[in-house]
């Protein structure tokens, strides 16, 4: 079974600074997908960034980037130029890849989350 | 709106009562997912619908939980004889193609907060 671990329950950062959220996972799969989701107080999960395990290049989306270390099973999220609107819970998630979708229901396996506070 | 909607937003019930939670996915989305977010367990997957069919119901926590989807659209999650440990936020998500994948994003609703007294 796959597990996702986020070791930082809470973090804070000053506005405009950079913060890195940690995520490790355990799987015996070779092909899979990794995601970071943001959950503001409205409760609606929003996809921040995603990474395919077979791609070595780290994904980037504007101020968000990841450091994907497949051998170490690590997938950290870096937020640059932090903004007050980045304040939220952040969840790391794993999705099994199914060849021709066989064996994968496409469900996400989540870590327990990191509560990020951006301070003015 | 064009997003996933869930109702009610909040539900308070007494232990032993039955509750129904509703999810309206994005129009045309084939796949529908239910997740539960609780303080003790974090976010856990409950069930997946491909059209109106649920290929695997093993994620449901107990036989008090059931779910159905009709017309390839609305889904209802029913909890019978609610217990205090059922208190959680129940999230629904949908994706255009079943199952969801890397390029086939899951879009989440705002959830239903269930409180069992």
């Amino acid at each position: 079974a796959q597990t996702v671990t986020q070791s930082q329950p809470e973090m804070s950062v000053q506005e405009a600074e950079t913060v890195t959220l940690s995520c490790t996972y355990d799987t015996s799969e070779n092909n899979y997908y990794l995601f970071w989701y943001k959950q503001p107080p409205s409760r609606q999960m929003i996809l921040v960034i995603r990474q395919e395990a077979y791609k070595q290049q780290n994904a980037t989306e504007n101020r968000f980037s990841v450091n994907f270390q497949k051998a170490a099973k690590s997938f950290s999220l870096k937020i640059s130029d932090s903004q007050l609107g980045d304040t939220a819970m952040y969840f790391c998630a794993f999705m099994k890849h199914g060849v021709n979708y066989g064996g994968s229901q496409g469900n996400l396996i989540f870590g327990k989350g990191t509560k990020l506070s951006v301070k003015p | 709106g064009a997003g996933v909607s869930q109702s009610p937003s909040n539900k308070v019930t007494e232990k032993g009562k039955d509750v129904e939670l509703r999810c309206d996915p994005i129009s045309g989305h084939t796949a529908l997912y239910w997740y539960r977010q609780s303080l003790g367990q974090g976010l856990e997957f409950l069930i997946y619908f491909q059209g109106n069919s649920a290929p695997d119901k093993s994620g449901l926590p107990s036989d008090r939980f059931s779910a159905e989807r009709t017309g390839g659209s609305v889904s209802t999650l029913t909890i019978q004889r609610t217990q205090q440990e059922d208190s959680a936020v129940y999230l629904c998500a949908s994706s255009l193609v079943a199952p969801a994948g890397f390029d086939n994003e899951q879009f989440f609703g705002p959830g239903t907060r269930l409180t069992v007294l």
Side-chain angles (χ1 to χ4, degrees):
Chain A
Q2 292 79 24
T3 59
V4 178
T5 302
Q6 294 179 249
S7 59
Q8 306 151 314
E10 292 192 41
M11 293 192 73
S12 65
V13 63
Q14 290 296 128
E15 195 175 8
E17 294 191 346
T18 296
V19 64
T20 298
L21 308 183
S22 300
C23 172
T24 59
Y25 58 93
D26 189 25
T27 184
S28 59
E29 303 284 333
N30 190 46
N31 276 338
Y32 47 88
Y33 310 127
L34 295 165
F35 304 83
W36 277 97
Y37 279 86
K38 169 185 177 181
Q39 187 181 41
S42 66
R43 298 198 305 243
Q44 195 147 5
M45 300 283 265
I46 301 165
L47 177 63
V48 174
I49 197 166
R50 49 190 154 183
Q51 174 84 37
E52 295 177 274
Y54 70 86
K55 286 189 175 178
Q56 292 185 345
Q57 186 172 2
N58 289 322
T60 61
E61 287 285 344
N62 301 313
R63 298 183 295 108
F64 299 88
S65 61
V66 298
N67 183 2
F68 173 49
Q69 302 289 329
K70 190 173 184 180
K73 295 181 182 174
S74 172
F75 184 61
S76 61
L77 174 69
K78 185 171 82 170
I79 306 174
S80 304
D81 185 25
S82 298
Q83 300 176 0
L84 296 178
D86 295 334
T87 293
M89 284 289 292
Y90 285 82
F91 292 92
C92 179
F94 173 101
M95 181 189 289
K96 184 180 171 182
H97 175 281
V99 176
N100 294 326
Y101 295 116
S104 172
Q105 297 190 95
N107 56 290
L108 293 157
I109 299 167
F110 290 92
K112 292 196 182 296
T114 296
K115 183 178 181 180
L116 177 67
S117 299
V118 180
K119 301 186 184 305
Chain B
V4 178
S5 60
Q6 293 186 246
S7 60
S9 178
N10 292 281
K11 175 72 176 178
V12 180
T13 191
E14 293 179 350
K15 178 182 172 181
K17 294 285 180 69
D18 298 352
V19 295
E20 284 189 354
L21 312 180
R22 177 187 170 108
C23 172
D24 281 90
I26 293 172
S27 178
H29 277 201
T30 305
L32 188 146
Y33 297 83
W34 283 98
Y35 296 87
R36 179 168 73 172
Q37 185 174 15
S38 57
L39 283 175
Q41 301 297 323
L43 268 155
E44 53 181 331
F45 165 69
L46 298 180
I47 193 167
Y48 152 66
F49 284 93
Q50 183 174 351
N52 291 335
S53 300
D56 182 358
K57 300 182 180 179
S58 62
L60 294 174
S62 76
D63 58 8
R64 295 185 296 104
F65 287 72
S66 63
E68 65 174 11
R69 188 179 185 195
T70 55
S73 180
V74 172
S75 177
T76 303
L77 178 68
T78 301
I79 309 173
Q80 295 178 311
R81 305 181 303 281
T82 52
Q83 303 294 312
Q84 288 182 332
E85 61 262 29
D86 299 334
S87 295
V89 174
Y90 291 82
L91 294 168
C92 174
S94 69
S95 65
L96 181 62
V97 177
F102 183 77
D103 292 314
N104 184 24
E105 181 182 344
Q106 287 184 45
F107 294 88
F108 284 79
T112 294
R113 181 179 296 280
L114 175 66
T115 303
V116 182
L117 301 176

